[in-house]
Amino acid sequence: MQKNYLSLIVLALLMFSNLVTFGKPQNRVIPPKSIRHTLDKDELLRKKAEELAHKFIIVDGHVDLPYRLHGKMEDVSVQTAGGDFDYVRAKKGGLSAPFMSIYVPADLQRKKGFSKALADSLIDMVETLVKQYPDKFALAKSPADIQANFKKGLISLPMGMENGSPVESNLANLQYFYDRGIRYITLCHGEDNFICDTSYDTTNTWRGLSPIGRQVVREMNRLGIMLDCSHISDDTFAQVVALSKAPVIASHSSCRAFTPGFIRNAPDNLIKAMAKKGGVIMINYSSMFLDSVSNKTYETKRTHLRQWQKEHNLVPKDSAARAYEALYDKEHPTPLTNVERVADHIDHVKKIAGIDYVGLGSDFDGVGPTLPDGLKDCSQLPNLIYVLLKRGYSEKDIEKICYKNVFRVWNKVAEVAKHF
């Protein structure tokens, strides 16, 4: 009988403890076992994503930090208020090898000497970052350099040139920029240039590559500079893939299958052609590259602004044009997609070409306002890895996406150069 009384007392105390914690009433809800299992699995996947983001080298094909600092100098050794990249956020997200974009606007190519001068100044800027913060950043001219820097805990700053206009029709300048550390060149930008036609211009000056453009392709192969097919027209893209003796890249492009009519993105046939030659497409994170709704909104804005600037005899850099664009953006915001959509593009490349032919090319500091939810800056890279893990991607798959695919291309380009 005494045992029964004791049991009742213990039971009462247990029931009381479920209702009261530190003197405050609590509604203790125990989720069903299936939900607890899902929550536990999700937590483990997020932890795994964080782990892999720091275990693997992560190469980003395109970060516009140099041009961002050209506009407004900031100390990126600490966390900055603006922009998408700095040392603190890169370390948090595991970004270990962002290609510094040596971006040269298309309008400079009409002024002799201006393109090359800007390219040199931006390369100087990257070199200065390394000299100022040798405990944080290091230059990298090869995959081996990146691996060595990674072991030391340093963030590598390889360089790619966005727009071939600094070459200025002088093939000797390709050797010059190679010696300065340039390891890929995006052949053009927003306008046709002396090398080729762009995706953003309907002029179709050369119907692809120009005569000297074909020489540029050969010389880049000879030197070991990767050919970047982002920004170029479909005709140019097809001709570059066919003419190049080495695999090529698209440093910051997404899949046109998701944005019909947006020529800046790569169509399936050219992604397959590039893959067949061993190349890699590096997915751009901008919502306007990822999603048709965002893209159509952006294209409407772009058309409207061009017409408005023309009517008011202005160019995009003019203060009045910038003010009007800011007002337009406020009244007509571009709808944003999310990190899942980046994974959709990776899925698509994997489906049509294979896991060996896709990488990451954020366009951080170049498309800031249009970055998707979950990938607002480089600190959030584990979110993408988490989505890939959730979709069944293996560690081996993720390692390829993070760096192995682009390392394969880069090493092959260097190998081809040795046989010229």
Side-chain angles (χ1 to χ4, degrees):
M1 193 70 173
Q2 188 176 9
K3 287 182 179 179
N4 288 338
Y5 279 122
L6 287 173
S7 297
L8 288 171
I9 291 168
V10 170
L11 180 60
L13 288 171
L14 286 170
M15 291 174 67
F16 185 76
S17 68
N18 281 341
L19 294 171
V20 180
T21 303
F22 299 110
K24 294 181 180 180
Q26 291 277 344
N27 292 322
R28 190 180 181 199
V29 178
I30 301 175
K33 186 176 180 180
S34 60
I35 295 178
R36 291 203 308 274
H37 176 73
T38 301
L39 291 173
D40 290 345
K41 184 179 179 183
D42 188 73
E43 186 178 339
L44 287 172
L45 284 179
R46 288 195 178 278
K47 186 177 179 181
K48 188 69 174 178
E50 286 281 350
E51 176 192 319
L52 295 182
H54 295 87
K55 176 183 177 181
F56 297 147
I57 292 168
I58 298 181
V59 175
D60 187 323
H62 193 91
V63 174
D64 275 303
L65 178 69
Y67 198 73
R68 166 189 157 195
L69 297 183
H70 174 72
K72 180 185 178 183
M73 187 56 66
E74 296 177 89
D75 180 3
V76 293
S77 70
V78 297
Q79 185 161 338
T80 57
D84 315 317
F85 172 90
D86 55 53
Y87 177 78
V88 176
R89 286 181 287 176
K91 273 293 185 182
K92 182 179 178 182
L95 179 55
S96 38
F99 264 92
M100 295 287 97
S101 172
I102 306 304
Y103 165 59
V104 179
D107 60 336
L108 291 185
Q109 62 201 35
R110 295 187 288 273
K111 305 173 184 177
K112 186 173 175 59
F114 278 66
S115 289
K116 186 172 181 295
L118 177 58
D120 274 325
S121 71
L122 296 180
I123 294 170
D124 290 343
M125 187 184 294
V126 175
E127 291 175 343
T128 298
L129 270 179
V130 171
K131 289 174 184 175
Q132 287 181 333
Y133 309 109
D135 60 327
K136 294 179 173 64
F137 301 114
L139 295 174
K141 299 180 180 180
S142 68
D145 287 347
I146 293 175
Q147 289 173 315
N149 293 336
F150 185 69
K151 288 178 181 178
K152 296 175 185 175
L154 299 173
I155 293 177
S156 293
L157 301 180
M159 290 184 284
M161 183 185 292
E162 186 177 26
N163 196 351
S165 64
V167 177
E168 296 185 332
S169 301
N170 182 356
L171 294 183
N173 279 332
L174 288 168
Q175 178 75 63
Y176 170 81
F177 284 117
Y178 178 86
D179 293 341
R180 292 221 62 187
I182 296 297
R183 288 300 178 268
Y184 78 67
I185 295 178
T186 316
L187 299 180
C188 65
H189 194 255
E191 299 176 10
D192 297 353
N193 63 12
F194 72 93
I195 298 173
C196 65
D197 297 335
T198 175
S199 61
Y200 281 137
D201 194 337
T202 57
T203 307
N204 202 18
T205 305
W206 308 106
R207 298 182 185 276
L209 286 165
S210 71
I212 195 172
R214 293 177 176 275
Q215 296 178 51
V216 166
V217 170
R218 185 183 183 282
E219 185 66 1
M220 286 175 65
N221 281 170
R222 188 186 73 80
L223 292 170
I225 303 174
M226 289 181 281
L227 286 146
D228 180 16
C229 294
S230 290
H231 282 287
I232 62 181
S233 70
D234 286 359
D235 286 342
T236 308
F237 198 138
Q239 291 168 23
V240 168
V241 171
L243 187 60
S244 177
K245 302 295 183 184
V248 303
I249 64 169
S251 69
H252 58 304
S253 296
S254 298
C255 305
R256 198 181 302 171
F258 294 87
T259 56
F262 185 49
I263 308 302
R264 172 65 179 79
N265 272 347
D268 286 2
N269 66 311
L270 291 179
I271 293 173
K272 292 176 184 177
M274 182 169 58
K276 189 175 181 180
K277 203 143 190 176
V280 61
I281 179 170
M282 308 175 80
I283 303 301
N284 191 309
Y285 300 167
S286 170
S287 291
M288 67 182 186
F289 283 70
L290 298 170
D291 184 81
S292 61
V293 174
S294 299
N295 182 264
K296 287 176 182 176
T297 302
Y298 172 78
E299 287 295 297
T300 299
K301 165 192 164 180
R302 188 163 170 261
T303 302
H304 174 79
L305 290 179
R306 281 184 170 180
Q307 183 61 35
W308 186 89
Q309 290 161 9
K310 184 178 179 181
E311 290 173 358
H312 292 80
N313 198 27
L314 295 170
V315 295
K317 289 183 178 180
D318 291 333
S319 57
R322 288 181 176 181
Y324 182 78
E325 182 175 358
L327 178 64
Y328 186 93
D329 282 339
K330 187 176 181 179
E331 295 178 351
H332 307 85
T334 299
L336 302 179
T337 185
N338 56 42
V339 63
E340 297 270 357
R341 201 60 163 166
V342 180
D344 290 344
H345 282 251
I346 293 172
D347 284 347
H348 186 72
V349 178
K350 180 184 176 184
K351 179 181 177 181
I352 67 168
I355 191 65
D356 296 317
Y357 309 105
V358 63
L360 307 175
S362 67
D363 215 347
F364 282 143
D365 285 335
V367 294
T370 66
L371 287 168
D373 293 334
L375 265 180
K376 292 299 186 186
D377 60 40
C378 58
S379 72
Q380 297 187 328
L381 281 169
N383 290 342
L384 176 57
I385 295 176
Y386 160 75
V387 173
L388 295 176
L389 287 170
K390 194 168 66 170
R391 294 187 181 190
Y393 281 71
S394 68
E395 286 191 31
K396 186 177 179 182
D397 291 338
I398 292 169
E399 189 176 20
K400 287 181 177 183
I401 294 165
C402 286
Y403 77 98
K404 280 200 165 182
N405 288 343
V406 71
F407 270 20
R408 182 197 71 247
V409 175
W410 195 348
N411 283 325
K412 183 63 178 178
V413 168
E415 180 187 330
V416 168
K418 291 177 183 178
H419 294 90
F420 265 79

